Amino acid sequence: MKKSLMLPLAGALLVAATPLLAIELTSHAKANAAAGRLNLEMRKKLTQTIQQKGLAGAIDVCAKDAPAVVSDLEKTFGVTIKRTALKVRNPANAPDPAEKELLEKLDGMVRNGDSLPQDATLFSEKESGKELVLRYYKPVMMQGTCLGCHGPLDRIPADVKKVLATGYPKDKAVGYAEGELRGIVSITVKEKIPEKGAGK
């Protein structure tokens, strides 16, 4: 019942909104949906793999399955998705300057006991010609099940350490505690800005 009441309201907002606000509303919906689906898909794959192959086997999910999942979601939602953190396992996932600044701010908030937003949140936007580039983030928090691969070194099993040493010789994504900020999902949405007078 609530859903049927909300849809007309959302439509009314989009009709009444300025072109740029309409773009922001649409972009936020895309970013939120993409981040939510990524979290759902990865949790499902990790849970299944840990049950079947143990923690060492789950490393392949992040290394091999995650890029395929990300690629599919990028095509589905028309966005760019990146998983990044202050301490990355794969150097290719290192944060850019804007992401690094954001991560440091969020990490400080968590350490101060502040709560972080659960939805995708805008952290950067840029208007370039006829295009508006909006960047959103969704925090990724450390869960207890993640400690076997990302926790203190003395809590990481020997077989997991061996796989990590082989696949990620520059790994820095260890030493976390449950409840800490692991990183963010960074979502970039590019939207065309309608020309003035278009649609009249």
Side-chain angles (χ1 to χ4, degrees), residues 30 72-80 188-191:
K30 286 182 183 179
D72 287 343
L73 293 177
E74 287 178 332
K75 292 174 185 175
T76 298
F77 294 102
V79 301
T80 301
T188 301
V189 187
K190 296 182 179 181
E191 301 282 7

Side-chain angles (χ1 to χ4, degrees), residues 39-168:
N39 179 58
L40 188 66
E41 294 290 334
M42 290 304 297
R43 274 180 173 274
K44 182 179 177 181
K45 286 181 177 293
L46 281 168
T47 299
Q48 290 176 343
T49 304
I50 290 172
Q51 290 174 347
Q52 296 169 0
K53 302 180 180 179
L55 284 172
I59 295 171
D60 271 351
V61 174
C62 293
K64 299 175 182 178
D65 293 0
V69 171
V70 165
S71 179
D72 287 343
L73 293 177
E74 287 178 332
K75 292 174 185 175
T76 298
F77 294 102
V79 301
T80 301
I81 302 171
K82 177 182 175 183
R83 297 176 303 146
T84 188
L86 290 174
K87 299 192 295 183
V88 295
R89 180 147 283 170
N90 183 347
N93 296 329
D96 63 25
E99 291 165 340
K100 186 173 184 292
E101 182 180 354
L102 171 66
L103 283 161
E104 288 172 343
K105 185 186 221 178
L106 295 176
D107 187 57
M109 289 175 65
V110 172
R111 292 181 187 281
N112 286 334
D114 299 328
S115 59
L116 301 183
Q118 297 302 304
D119 289 339
T121 305
L122 183 70
F123 75 95
S124 176
E125 62 178 295
K126 179 181 179 183
E127 189 174 332
S128 178
K130 298 180 179 180
E131 188 176 60
L132 188 63
V133 181
L134 300 110
R135 305 183 69 189
Y136 298 85
Y137 75 91
K138 185 173 177 63
V140 178
M141 309 305 294
M142 276 296 301
Q143 306 294 323
T145 52
C146 304
L147 296 177
C149 290
H150 293 287
L153 288 175
D154 59 359
R155 291 192 59 179
I156 299 177
D159 59 336
V160 174
K161 286 181 182 178
K162 184 176 180 180
V163 174
L164 290 175
T166 302
Y168 300 99

